[in-house]
Amino acid sequence: MSCRPNKRRVKNLQEIHFGEFCIETWYFSPYPEEFNDSPIIYICEFCLSYFISEFQLRRHVSKCTIMHPPGNEIYRDDEISFFEIDGARQSTYCQNLCLLSKLFLDHKSLTYDLLPFLFYIMCKQDQYGYHIIGYFSKEKNYTLNNLACILTIPPYQRKGYGRLLISFSYELSKIEGRIGSPERPLSDLGLLSYQQYWYETILEVLWDTKEIGDDYITIDEITAKTSITQSDVLFTLYESGICVYQGQVCIRLTEAMLDTSLNSISKKRRINIENLKWSPPH
Ligand code: ACO
Ligand code: ZN
């Protein structure tokens, strides 16, 4: 999905049936016109094909053999897996994914040129297959933006999965030896999630610095450890109130503040880097 500002269009679909969920849609998405007369759309949760009736979906599901996204599994832990999918090779799946995600993204316009993109799909495993929780896309030849679009499927939101997706995008950048930042504009929810991730990641670096007995760390060093750009680091330091400018730059971070925040961060879902088997595509 590209980042051009999107002209607002009236929401065309009210609800999707997706796996075990009925989900109210948020925004317009350009599904074929014949779907506009039907307020509900039925989507196969594995291949993302869409249907106008439950009967059609059932008939499809009885024949659909796909149980996971059509790409390489590059990460697996006890609960979740990530699959890497090339927009050039799996164009139907990726188009279906973009149509689905557009229902929850207002400020991005759909591009039908998926060739330049890779898609990272996060799934939950059970005995029935790999159920998609969320995804992000990324341009293959990016200069700065290590993430183009991000979505957590609404029933899974506010459970820490967005943080995992963001964290995963930075882990890939670290392996690439590059720094990165999400494509702008960010939605309100996107900004809140990034601000929180940047804040927590920077606090952890400051804590580690203190633990090894160092008195100071530079912005460039924080960037090198996290792959978060210098400007996102500075933005976070000022926005969170850690840094203030009062004639000179002052740091306002007490040990008690650090302890409280790190205690809450330690309970959050994390990417275990040992489970990531990936090298940058050539
Ligand atoms: N209200 C307040 N804070 C929020 C909210 C919310 N509704 N949602 C996320 N946050 C903040 C919180 O600080 C939260 O941390 P906390 O729960 O520990 O306080 C933090 O973001 C991360 O929350 P997660 O549960 O990890 O994120 P989630 O799984 O809900 O996914 C996402 C976040 C991907 C932005 C989701 O809201 C979404 O898919 N929104 C619709 C699509 C969208 O707007 N995508 C971003 C577009 S920008 C871009 O694509 C580059
Ligand atoms: Zn299917």
Side-chain angles (χ1 to χ4, degrees), residues 60-73:
H60 165 83
V61 166
S62 67
K63 289 183 248 153
C64 182
T65 51
I66 294 177
M67 287 178 77
H68 59 76
N72 292 332
E73 189 178 12

Side-chain angles (χ1 to χ4, degrees), residues 44-49 51 57 60-61 64-66:
C44 171
E45 64 163 326
F46 294 115
C47 70
L48 309 183
S49 299
F51 303 93
L57 173 68
H60 165 83
V61 166
C64 182
T65 51
I66 294 177

Side-chain angles (χ1 to χ4, degrees), residues 8 28 53 91 140 146 152 172 209 233 242 271 274-275:
R8 286 231 159 133
F28 172 86
S53 72
S91 56
K140 290 172 190 167
N146 63 350
T152 303
L172 298 186
T209 308
V233 171
I242 295 178
I271 295 296
E274 284 164 16
N275 296 329

Side-chain angles (χ1 to χ4, degrees), residues 6 11 30 70 97 113 122 196 223 259:
N6 189 23
K11 190 168 101 167
L97 180 62
D113 182 13
M122 182 171 67
Q196 187 70 11
T223 288
D259 276 351

